[in-house]
Amino acid sequence: MRIAIYLVSIILANVITAAFAPLQFWVFIVPMGTLLIGATFIFRDLVQNRYGRKKTYLFIAIALILSALVSFLLGDTLIIVLASAISFILAETADTEIYTRLKLPMSWRVFYSGLVGGFLDSVVFVVIGLSPIGANFLPWEAVPSAIIGQIIVKTIIQGLGAIVLSQAHSLFEKGHKTN
């Protein structure tokens, strides 16, 4: 079930990004799929908890292929598909490796690894895919706003996920103590 949620969330993020105009709040620009991308790091961490780091890389590879295929089928240009794939590989690898090495409670590991993954995903995708280097959807003046907007949203999602996991862990522990 964890694997399915992880893979479906990545596909849905692509579909939502393609189907809806980006959110603009204040000076920040955030593709709608960013709301789900922040959660995919959490779902990947849950997959890693269950199946281990080595198998998680197999699921990341499957997710990468599915993401690129869906992006292409939705009509994204080759540079957008490439930018998405590069940012995905870097972000998911960083998240996986940081999550593996941190010796903290799960909720903090999820939060910190997701922060780094979300940062890399945002910077790499916007610069390679959306800036004048890539598809030229954004002028250079808008690039920082797009990056910061995505980082803010992904950080909020990571924070909420960490809180939920922490609360779930506390409830689980209380349930085991009373039995």
Side-chain angles (χ1 to χ4, degrees):
M1 184 67 160
R2 294 174 193 208
I3 298 165
I5 291 170
Y6 171 62
L7 296 175
V8 168
S9 69
I10 291 166
I11 292 167
L12 281 176
N14 283 334
V15 171
I16 291 168
T17 297
F20 297 98
L23 291 172
Q24 185 144 10
F25 60 97
W26 195 41
V27 297
F28 303 115
I29 304 162
V30 181
M32 291 294 286
T34 302
L35 299 168
L36 213 45
I37 293 296
T40 63
F41 292 114
I42 298 166
F43 300 145
R44 197 225 39 83
D45 293 337
L46 294 173
V47 167
Q48 185 175 346
N49 273 357
R50 175 73 172 210
Y51 298 99
R53 186 171 132 231
K54 194 173 185 177
K55 283 187 181 175
T56 297
Y57 277 111
L58 171 66
F59 302 128
I60 290 171
I62 292 167
L64 173 65
I65 292 165
L66 288 173
S67 177
L69 181 63
V70 168
S71 184
F72 179 76
L73 291 173
L74 290 170
D76 286 337
T77 63
L78 190 55
I79 192 68
I80 294 294
V81 174
L82 181 64
S84 179
I86 292 169
S87 65
F88 185 84
I89 291 167
L90 291 173
E92 291 290 329
T93 300
D95 185 279
T96 301
E97 294 305 316
I98 291 168
Y99 184 83
T100 298
R101 287 166 174 72
L102 287 176
K103 304 300 179 211
L104 297 169
M106 182 184 173
S107 58
W108 286 109
R109 290 167 54 204
V110 164
F111 182 70
Y112 290 135
S113 64
L115 281 179
V116 175
F119 175 84
L120 288 171
D121 185 62
S122 301
V123 171
V124 172
F125 181 72
V126 171
V127 171
I128 294 175
L130 304 178
S131 78
I133 290 173
N136 200 21
F137 288 139
L138 297 174
W140 282 116
E141 308 83 60
V143 167
S145 296
I147 292 170
I148 293 168
Q150 287 189 43
I151 290 170
I152 289 169
V153 169
K154 290 171 188 172
T155 300
I156 290 169
I157 300 295
Q158 288 299 132
L160 292 172
I163 290 168
V164 167
L165 289 171
S166 178
Q167 294 299 314
H169 180 72
S170 293
L171 290 172
F172 181 76
E173 288 295 314
K174 284 180 185 174
H176 272 75
K177 288 180 183 176
T178 59
N179 287 337

